[in-house]
Amino acid sequence: MSTLSRHNAALSTANSSSGYRTLWRWHFYAGLFVMPLLIALAITGTLYCFQPQIEPLLYPQLLVVEPQTAPRMTEDALLARARAAMPSNATAVTAAISNAPDRSTEFIFRLADGEKQSVYLNPYNGAVLGTLSVDYRFMQVDRMLHRKLLLGKPGELLMELAACWTFVMIGTGVALWWPRGATRVQDALVPRFTLKGRPLWKNVHAVMGIWLALGALAFVLTGLPWSGSWGQQFKALATATHLGAPPGTWGGLALRSVLPAGSGSQESAETDATNATFAGHETHAAQTDSMPGMVMDDLPLPQTPWAVGKVAVPASADTNANTNAKVAAPLPLGHIVAQAASLGVTSGYNIALPTSATGVYTVSYFPADPQLERTVYIDQYSGAILKDIRYADYGAVSKAVSYGTSLHMGRYFGVANQILCAAISLGLALMAVTGYVMWWKRRPQRSLGAPSRERAAPPMRGWKAGLVMLGIVFPLMGLTLLAVWFADRAIFGRAARRQREHERAAQ
């Protein structure tokens, strides 16, 4: 046996004794599943992170206007113009309120077939700039790709699984490359570009993994609370333990918009135009927007703070016993905007409009600074504030999630936050590419190329306990861990046994 062969044999023995191949095997399985999804998450996440810069470039004729010294038109006048530009059976469901001098005004309408369209107007002269599908605008498609691959619930679960398996990939990857024995810390942190071929790819892959491990872990931890399966269960648990949503938001506090009886006051022409729209709403819309059990996440809002996603939407009590009584008219949109300003919410927020006699105005403010988050329910007739939820009302878990969300989306400290998120995301995508190249260079013919089993694998009780804990905390991942373990034993274990029998027969 040559010197090099003896060295490789000794290295293999050392690696086996420390559980190296077992870790490598699990790292391989995790990477095999996560790698393609990681690339999709990295690209879509980076694009969404730069939404404020990208969308005005994609739709300049709709989003951007020339700043003027002339006063802006009132919200009610603009809403009337938007309504005139839409089909008569369309229902206004959301108003986007912004005081930016170079941005248009946006209203979202629900069409008769359920599709939602945004209408953009010049806030200075009321000119209709055009319409855009809410579900098919570029950033919404990108967001749905990021969350569920445009595959609905199955895609959402798949992305959640990918995030969970990233824990396994990060843990095994760091353990594989962490300095041990004669290896220096510098070798684990500084790439050696003097290497060539697969050793170079492996070195770059490993060093990048060490540097990106914390960022990847942060991305997973801050993204999972928004997932469709585990995230909803986590939110329910946080609420049940009084660490999530504010007290009373899951039905413990009565929230009602009272439908008043009596004669209404005389309003301006613009107010009359706005109020008239409520009388002509379709029965279907009224039933949809007044359904018992609706929560904030069901409202037609672009985004809502995590803490209030399960807040019950108020439903009015019909106190109008006298059917012949004249019902007071709803308050105009302009009144609600002025009322929000008096509460300190002046720009960059959305209002879910009441689309039935039992609805309320819902002001949703989701800024970059989590401490400024605000959710306000306003009675559509009296203007009474039914509920005003602020960051200070959140539980400890919701406060942490709010900060994590802002950092995850690259919003908390401006452009620097966006660049940091992009660097981590694209670095993870490059990790996936280098991992694929490494596999391609060593792959055997007609085989998956999974690292071979150790003949005498160590107990590795710590790692097994860690996997069990992950499976308990993330049940969906626990099921796939069991599936991979059984498949590995049943399929690849059988091949390994045949190989050992062949070796014994040859001796």
Side-chain angles (χ1 to χ4, degrees), residues 330-364:
L331 293 170
L333 177 60
H335 180 97
I336 305 302
V337 172
Q339 192 168 358
S342 70
L343 297 174
V345 182
T346 58
S347 182
Y349 64 96
N350 292 280
I351 301 177
L353 307 175
T355 56
S356 70
T358 59
V360 296
Y361 284 102
T362 303
V363 176
S364 179

Side-chain angles (χ1 to χ4, degrees), residues 159-223:
M159 289 306 226
E160 182 178 322
L161 273 176
C164 293
W165 271 89
T166 302
F167 286 124
V168 178
M169 190 175 65
I170 293 171
T172 54
V174 170
L176 287 170
W177 196 249
W178 196 253
R180 61 168 69 83
T183 306
R184 300 176 301 168
V185 174
Q186 181 180 351
D187 295 330
L189 299 177
V190 180
R192 289 181 290 167
F193 293 109
T194 55
L195 299 174
K196 295 182 179 180
R198 186 173 180 274
L200 174 61
W201 286 99
K202 179 180 179 181
N203 183 263
V204 172
H205 178 86
V207 171
M208 285 182 59
I210 294 291
W211 281 103
L212 293 171
L214 284 178
L217 187 63
F219 266 161
V220 173
L221 290 175
T222 54

Side-chain angles (χ1 to χ4, degrees), residues 119-289:
V119 182
Y120 298 92
L121 303 96
N122 187 315
Y124 300 102
N125 58 25
V128 177
L129 304 177
T131 63
L132 189 64
S133 170
V134 171
D135 292 330
Y136 294 101
R137 62 191 296 169
F138 178 81
M139 277 303 167
Q140 180 63 11
V141 173
D142 179 77
R143 182 186 176 200
M144 290 300 101
L145 276 170
H146 188 76
R147 292 189 62 184
K148 55 185 71 175
L149 295 174
L150 299 180
L151 297 176
K153 193 63 175 181
E156 197 169 30
L157 295 177
L158 189 63
M159 289 306 226
E160 182 178 322
L161 273 176
C164 293
W165 271 89
T166 302
F167 286 124
V168 178
M169 190 175 65
I170 293 171
T172 54
V174 170
L176 287 170
W177 196 249
W178 196 253
R180 61 168 69 83
T183 306
R184 300 176 301 168
V185 174
Q186 181 180 351
D187 295 330
L189 299 177
V190 180
R192 289 181 290 167
F193 293 109
T194 55
L195 299 174
K196 295 182 179 180
R198 186 173 180 274
L200 174 61
W201 286 99
K202 179 180 179 181
N203 183 263
V204 172
H205 178 86
V207 171
M208 285 182 59
I210 294 291
W211 281 103
L212 293 171
L214 284 178
L217 187 63
F219 266 161
V220 173
L221 290 175
T222 54
L224 275 173
W226 292 89
S227 60
S229 176
W230 184 86
Q232 296 298 319
Q233 297 171 19
F234 177 62
K235 188 183 295 186
L237 176 63
T239 302
T241 55
H242 305 292
L243 297 173
T249 57
W250 276 51
L253 180 66
L255 299 176
R256 295 192 177 276
S257 173
V258 178
L259 186 64
S263 60
S265 60
Q266 186 69 26
E267 303 289 345
S268 67
E270 289 179 357
T271 301
D272 289 336
T274 303
N275 294 341
T277 63
F278 291 94
H281 287 141
E282 295 180 337
T283 303
H284 172 74
Q287 292 173 345
T288 300
D289 294 320

Side-chain angles (χ1 to χ4, degrees), residues 86-92 109-113 280 282:
M86 296 298 291
S88 58
N89 57 1
T91 304
F109 285 77
R110 184 179 56 235
L111 304 182
D113 60 0
E282 295 180 337

